Amino acid sequence: MSSSSGQQQFRYTQTPSKVLHLRNLPWECTEEELVELCKPFGKIVNTKCNVGANRNQAFIEFSDLNQAISMVSYFASSSEPAQVRGKTVYIQYSNRQEIVNNKSTGDVAGNVLLVTIEGVEAGDVSIDVIHLVFSAFGFVHKIATFEKAAGFQALIQFTDSETAAAARNALDGRSIPRYLLPEHVNSCHLRISYSAHTDLNIKFQSHRSRDYTNPYLPVNPSAIEGTLQPTVGPDGKKKEPESNVLLASIENMQYAVTVDVIHTVFSAFGTVQKIAIFEKNGGMQALIQYPDVTTAAVAKEALEGHCIYDGGYCKLHLSYSRHTDLNVKAHSDKSRDYTIQDTGLLSIPQAPGAPTAAPAWQSNPQAASMYPGNVGPQAHPDAQIGAWDPNMHGGRPRFPPAPGTYPGQAYVPSSSMPMYPTSGAPPPAAADATMQQMPPYYGGQPNARPAGPPSVGRPPMYY
DNA sequence: AGCACA
């Protein structure tokens, strides 16, 4: 007469387990807080935190079943409910007998994150977008993406676990801003945990994997095509040969675009070696030289069609230059050679998670701007969020983009701002007086800060 | 408030 199995979900008939399921935890409840709550009852051998859609559940595993039973029993009969930070925590036996994750006893967070990108297919989120987002927290060494039952996933390798933890804390449960996603994707939340890996084995630069520490790693040609093709269209249209030098045409140039601005924007993707800006057909163009084709390809893909400034200004169109090595003056208002040692700035390393020394925010301006305010200050003690000034948007003129209204002639310094309303903060480039004698951008970014940054040109979005 | 990577 007894019916079949599968029905052990009933609250009072759950089979005991040394694994307990805890719900209604406060947001971002730490493992330490869980341990504080549970350790009076026994030895905790494993935990799994930030579980569930709201990240407010956790699992905790005792070394012995009796310890779990004692904890459940205690709170079942206690007048005081289990609490963390004053919030009642609901405890029951897990329906599993052990926590299966990579961190067994005492294991600490690693330097490699496992990121599940929910609600998207692999093609929706390019590896470059992932790189962009995670680079906000430090140098991203490697990325490997794959599709598994859990969905589209990425392993992201940072220098150290601290950096990885910062990224995880800030991004777990958040969504990649919509403007970095294809139209049809409404949201894609990141679920982040730690991988057991410490060093990913990337064999090719491809649309599925990158090794940013090794620019000379062979490129899987078909794979790279795969990432670039979608922007062109599936008609298999012939593309210009790739190059390590990008040609940027700047459209709707309401605001000045200086060498420093260009450098700031393009440094997000790697070392910029040289820059030359010039005018052509009344428009402005820039050549940006990277050390390698891969970096250029990443920058091209990420920035194409995006605006340097909020409001549709200074829209970038990118193609590959035929040049491979620019011959430019080391330091003029139209060009820069960053490979020359005379400034002493070259010794500054490339943003390996050292926000103050390296151009960290520049290195990921948009990523930083994506998560202002919302990210706890602890996540970014310094540069990243601080560099973002939310007032920039409020203060920026809101008149619609006026393609074609830009006079087409050279950017004329101060008198060229007729359209610019007098109220509010001046546009980033309005400080034209300082433009010509602007120091290398490390010296400070009064106007090198491209407000909304490269790929965004739009206010941050949260959802 | 209700169960998790391969």
Side-chain angles (χ1 to χ4, degrees):
Chain A
M1 65 181 188
S2 67
S3 63
S4 55
S5 58
Q7 201 71 324
Q8 78 227 112
Q9 298 284 40
F10 292 116
R11 186 181 296 174
Y12 302 109
T13 61
Q14 271 191 313
T15 57
S17 164
K18 58 184 159 69
V19 181
L20 298 182
H21 177 216
L22 291 83
R23 329 187 288 275
N24 201 36
L25 294 163
W27 168 256
E28 286 290 317
C29 173
T30 64
E31 182 178 35
E32 288 71 27
E33 289 172 306
L34 285 179
V35 169
E36 280 309 306
L37 175 69
C38 303
K39 77 174 181 205
F41 301 93
K43 182 175 194 298
I44 296 150
V45 297
N46 207 350
T47 66
K48 184 161 187 63
C49 305
N50 294 319
V51 166
N54 296 323
R55 333 299 304 162
N56 61 354
Q57 301 173 43
F59 296 93
I60 186 152
E61 180 177 338
F62 285 103
S63 66
D64 185 80
L65 176 63
N66 289 327
Q67 298 167 355
I69 292 174
S70 75
M71 181 166 178
V72 169
S73 310
Y74 174 83
F75 286 110
S77 60
S78 167
S79 55
E80 299 275 308
Q83 290 186 325
V84 172
R85 279 184 240 163
K87 205 172 175 223
T88 296
V89 174
Y90 300 88
I91 302 169
Q92 64 185 164
Y93 299 114
S94 171
N95 53 24
R96 298 193 200 177
Q97 291 303 119
E98 61 178 0
I99 293 176
V100 285
N101 65 9
N102 47 42
K103 45 186 280 251
S104 50
T105 320
D107 251 7
V108 200
N111 63 318
V112 177
L113 297 178
L114 173 74
V115 180
T116 302
I117 305 173
E118 297 174 334
V120 299
E121 293 173 27
D124 293 335
V125 181
S126 73
I127 201 164
D128 303 308
V129 165
I130 296 171
H131 181 244
L132 220 50
V133 169
F134 283 86
S135 293
F137 306 90
F139 181 58
V140 172
H141 289 236
K142 301 175 183 180
I143 298 178
T145 66
F146 48 93
E147 282 181 282
K148 284 287 166 58
F152 183 41
Q153 297 189 311
L155 290 163
I156 300 175
Q157 179 175 339
F158 285 100
T159 303
D160 49 45
S161 57
E162 287 76 18
T163 314
R168 194 196 70 94
N169 289 336
L171 295 176
D172 192 16
R174 310 292 300 279
S175 177
I176 294 177
R178 190 180 290 188
Y179 53 78
L180 290 174
L181 301 170
E183 292 285 332
H184 67 278
V185 177
N186 290 321
S187 72
C188 72
H189 291 272
L190 304 173
R191 216 181 69 227
I192 305 179
S193 57
Y194 294 104
S195 163
H197 292 100
T198 58
D199 190 21
L200 303 175
N201 183 17
I202 307 293
K203 299 194 181 71
F204 293 102
Q205 313 284 16
S206 80
H207 67 300
R208 327 205 51 143
S209 62
R210 292 292 162 80
D211 181 346
Y212 300 96
T213 66
N214 181 6
Y216 302 107
L217 193 68
V219 172
N220 181 336
S222 61
I224 256 295
E225 287 285 316
T227 72
L228 297 174
Q229 216 55 28
T231 63
V232 177
D235 53 351
K237 195 172 144 209
K238 196 79 173 180
K239 304 180 63 66
E240 69 235 292
E242 292 184 341
S243 164
N244 62 316
V245 178
L246 294 178
L247 173 65
S249 304
I250 300 159
E251 176 188 309
N252 193 20
M253 209 180 78
Q254 295 285 337
Y255 306 142
V257 175
T258 61
V259 169
D260 300 290
V261 169
I262 294 287
H263 184 262
T264 299
V265 170
F266 285 82
S267 291
F269 309 94
T271 306
V272 171
Q273 294 183 320
K274 300 176 186 178
I275 292 173
I277 60 181
F278 54 95
E279 289 175 31
K280 188 154 183 181
N281 304 329
M284 184 166 151
Q285 301 195 330
L287 289 163
I288 301 97
Q289 177 174 335
Y290 284 110
D292 57 86
V293 171
T294 301
T295 308
V298 169
K300 178 174 183 292
E301 162 119 344
L303 291 175
E304 171 57 30
H306 289 289
C307 301
I308 298 177
Y309 295 104
D310 193 358
Y313 304 120
C314 304
K315 187 172 186 176
L316 293 169
H317 290 289
L318 299 169
S319 58
Y320 293 110
S321 167
R322 296 185 310 275
H323 294 93
T324 57
D325 190 12
L326 304 177
N327 185 13
V328 299
K329 274 203 188 147
H331 195 283
S332 81
D333 60 338
K334 296 294 179 199
S335 68
R336 206 63 50 89
D337 185 343
Y338 301 94
T339 66
I340 300 217
Q341 295 281 357
D342 64 348
T343 61
L345 294 170
L346 199 68
S347 57
I348 294 177
Q350 170 96 18
T356 48
W361 82 260
Q362 294 94 334
S363 139
N364 311 285
Q366 64 283 77
S369 72
M370 287 189 287
Y371 317 98
N374 223 347
V375 180
Q378 73 287 355
H380 301 274
D382 43 24
Q384 315 281 4
I385 295 305
W388 174 261
D389 177 1
N391 296 322
M392 289 301 287
H393 291 294
R396 191 158 311 117
R398 281 294 176 190
F399 51 84
T405 56
Y406 181 67
Q409 275 313 331
Y411 174 77
V412 186
S414 54
S415 58
S416 69
M417 292 302 187
M419 298 181 58
Y420 189 71
T422 52
S423 67
D432 41 79
T434 62
M435 272 178 49
Q436 303 302 330
Q437 29 95 350
M438 196 141 122
Y441 82 85
Y442 306 92
Q445 2 278 41
N447 55 8
R449 143 130 57 115
S455 59
V456 298
R458 234 187 283 182
M461 302 167 147
Y462 322 99
Y463 49 91

